[in-house]
Amino acid sequence: MRVWIGIDDTDSRKGMCTTYLALILIDRLKEVGEVVGFPRLIRLNPTIPYKTRGNGAVSFLAEIDDLDKAVEIAEEVVRKYAELDDPNTNPGVVFVDEAKVSLLREFARRAITDVLSIEDAIDVLEKLRIEHLKFKNGRGLIGALASVGAVLEDFVYELIAYRLPERIGKPREFDKESFYELDFLFYPTIFDTVDWCNDVVMAVPGTPCPVLFGLRGEDPDLLKKALSIIKTEPFDRFQIFQTNHATDMHIICDEEIKNFRSYRVVGRLIEKPYEIVGGHIFFKIKTNSGNLKCAAFEPTKQFRNIIRALIPGDLVEVYGSVKNETLNLEKIRILELEKQFLLLNPICPICGKRMESSGKGQGFRCRNCKTKYFEKIKVEVPRKIETGYYEVPPCARRHLSKPLIRMNVSGRHIFR
Ligand SMILES: [Zn+2]
């Protein structure tokens, strides 16, 4: 029989990675069958409060002779490798008959864009009679089901290389230059490998997990080819996943704006952006459903220069996740720029020099020509930004955010 197996929430802040555990499971399942096609790495709603790391779940399609044995193997693997001692690690594994997968579409859509409870997952499992393994409170069942049900209309591939077991936890050894070389050669088919401007290698994580690096791209063959370019410590193995990274799958366009969801929404600036200590910038827009506070936090680096240059009256479309009634910007599309004026002293019509003030409330005068004028004049000054799309730099990009380089739109301003 053909079964989709989904697995989630096996890692903790201290270690493991659900993708790695899934690969151990895939290896072990060779006893009872084989995996068909690429395993999938599906990122769920990135704003969910109890997840501190990427909130990614894994699923794969397997041709299996003995389902009971497969369930037994999965239980063994999770017991042995998941971070079960961590109170926030609550694994779930599901085994879904291929024929039932389409019934999970809506559940998956909600797990990526909305907030679901463990009860929601249990309901679906019972209603559809889906074989599953629940560990502790079983929160991972949400992601496990969603990773199976997600329909990837848009997707990319992620090649993940894993460290040798004895090196996990030690600093990662890699040649930074070689990752820049890779980017130079293969961008944009392989993208978000490095951030040139901020000098960050994004492909290499800083967490204590088994991942050595991850390469993101449109073409699995090219990802494999790229392995010959980068220089790193020896790695144990690598695997290519199909994923909803870089697709904006988390973004919705609802009228009503709620916390813990991600939106694309149009609005007009009603106040000048202001900065607080730490370099975080905020502004408010008026949308069809009320005012919305937007933020460009310090880690978004040079993107903040675009935000600083906005003025009241500008019409924008913002993209990002809402938490604390504030939309955390991932991208912005500037639709209309308000004209910007400076108020200056008038020019003398006779000699062409700028007039001087005659004293408070007394207007202006030219001392030489004795000309007078009562008001300051408005002078239009050019804006520093133009209409079109702007995005955060690669180093500030979320897994699910679609980079402009992948968007078929005009007026892209790309930070590379
Ligand atoms: Zn004059």
Side-chain angles (χ1 to χ4, degrees):
M1 63 187 294
R2 280 159 76 93
V3 180
W4 274 93
I5 299 176
I7 181 163
D8 191 24
D9 204 9
T10 64
D11 55 357
S12 77
R13 253 186 281 192
K14 296 193 293 293
M16 199 23 83
C17 169
T18 297
T19 65
Y20 187 65
L21 194 139
L23 293 193
I24 297 172
L25 178 57
I26 287 171
D27 280 350
R28 289 285 317 277
L29 286 175
K30 283 176 184 151
E31 294 167 33
V32 289
E34 66 174 325
V35 168
V36 184
F38 292 105
R40 312 197 307 167
L41 167 55
I42 307 296
R43 297 283 170 183
L44 310 175
N45 185 341
T47 69
I48 293 297
Y50 22 71
K51 286 313 288 183
T52 42
R53 275 171 49 192
N55 207 7
V58 175
S59 64
F60 53 88
L61 175 61
E63 184 83 58
I64 286 183
D65 317 320
D66 182 348
L67 184 61
D68 292 340
K69 182 70 186 159
V71 174
E72 203 176 291
I73 290 170
E75 171 140 27
E76 257 177 61
V77 169
V78 173
R79 292 226 178 272
K80 185 163 176 197
Y81 295 99
E83 295 273 314
L84 285 167
D85 294 338
D86 190 296
N88 289 319
T89 301
N90 299 283
V93 190
V94 297
F95 306 82
V96 186
D97 188 316
E98 200 182 17
K100 290 182 187 168
V101 166
S102 62
L103 303 172
L104 295 174
R105 275 185 188 188
E106 177 59 14
F107 183 89
R109 191 192 60 76
R110 288 179 60 206
I112 295 164
T113 60
D114 204 341
V115 182
L116 290 175
S117 67
I118 301 172
E119 291 68 40
D120 293 325
I122 304 279
D123 280 353
V124 167
L125 289 166
E126 283 175 359
K127 207 167 78 190
L128 300 179
R129 294 160 171 257
I130 291 171
E131 182 95 45
H132 61 279
L133 291 167
K134 173 174 178 263
F135 298 84
K136 295 158 69 185
N137 78 19
R139 187 173 297 285
L141 289 168
I142 303 171
L145 280 172
S147 68
V148 168
V151 179
L152 300 186
E153 276 154 14
D154 183 18
F155 59 85
V156 300
Y157 295 95
E158 181 106 1
L159 183 153
I160 302 181
Y162 299 90
R163 310 185 73 188
L164 295 168
E166 63 270 23
R167 297 198 60 92
I168 296 171
K170 294 181 184 149
R172 290 171 176 84
E173 282 171 23
F174 62 100
D175 174 30
K176 216 169 148 177
E177 297 296 319
S178 67
F179 284 86
Y180 281 92
E181 172 78 6
L182 182 158
D183 190 81
F184 183 76
L185 290 171
F186 293 136
Y187 179 88
T189 312
I190 298 175
F191 58 92
D192 283 357
T193 310
V194 295
D195 184 320
W196 291 83
C197 188
N198 295 295
D199 195 18
V200 182
V201 177
M202 269 101 49
V204 180
T207 48
C209 73
V211 174
L212 179 58
F213 59 83
L215 303 177
R216 191 166 292 182
E218 312 283 350
D219 175 359
D221 292 327
L222 200 65
L223 286 170
K224 270 190 257 177
K225 205 171 147 196
L227 286 178
S228 63
I229 294 165
I230 47 179
K231 300 185 188 86
T232 65
E233 65 182 48
F235 47 84
D236 195 22
R237 60 184 301 175
F238 72 86
Q239 175 67 48
I240 294 176
F241 294 86
Q242 194 188 30
T243 158
N244 63 347
H245 286 166
T247 62
D248 270 354
M249 208 174 173
H250 60 316
I251 302 275
I252 53 178
C253 307
D254 277 8
E255 282 282 292
E256 193 192 354
I257 309 272
K258 291 191 272 188
N259 280 326
F260 305 121
R261 284 142 186 102
S262 308
Y263 295 92
R264 191 180 90 199
V265 55
V266 174
R268 209 175 277 283
L269 262 82
I270 50 173
E271 66 180 16
K272 199 171 139 42
Y274 62 94
E275 190 158 344
I276 64 163
V277 177
H280 313 304
I281 299 175
F282 299 91
F283 62 89
K284 267 201 195 95
I285 56 171
K286 185 177 191 293
T287 76
N288 279 340
S289 51
N291 293 349
L292 176 65
K293 188 175 172 187
C294 302
F297 291 102
E298 189 282 332
T300 64
K301 303 294 173 196
Q302 72 268 36
F303 177 68
R304 294 173 301 159
N305 293 333
I306 311 307
I307 303 307
R308 284 186 185 103
L310 292 169
I311 60 170
D314 287 346
L315 186 68
V316 295
E317 181 179 51
V318 293
Y319 292 68
S321 297
V322 177
K323 266 187 181 179
N324 303 319
E325 283 75 43
T326 305
L327 183 138
N328 180 355
L329 286 165
E330 294 169 16
K331 271 195 288 275
I332 191 166
R333 180 185 183 189
I334 301 176
L335 294 159
E336 278 172 34
L337 286 169
E338 185 73 307
K339 284 188 170 163
Q340 188 173 36
F341 295 99
L342 263 182
L343 285 175
L344 294 175
N345 290 4
I347 305 241
C348 168
I350 298 174
C351 70
K353 283 186 183 151
R354 197 149 312 270
M355 294 167 128
E356 53 187 61
S357 172
S358 316
K360 202 165 188 266
Q362 303 290 305
F364 303 88
R365 64 175 178 191
C366 174
R367 213 187 279 263
N368 294 330
C369 316
K370 309 289 178 215
T371 47
K372 281 189 177 161
Y373 199 79
F374 293 101
E375 293 171 333
K376 284 202 172 191
I377 50 164
K378 260 179 154 184
V379 181
E380 190 179 346
V381 284
R383 299 291 305 268
K384 289 182 201 143
I385 47 179
E386 48 187 31
T387 54
Y389 290 84
Y390 293 86
E391 63 185 349
V392 302
C395 69
R397 187 128 47 227
R398 295 187 115 157
H399 290 305
L400 276 167
S401 280
K402 190 169 189 165
L404 292 179
I405 192 73
R406 296 198 72 239
M407 288 175 68
N408 186 18
V409 291
S410 58
R412 298 182 301 181
H413 300 81
I414 292 170
F415 292 131
R416 187 170 162 195

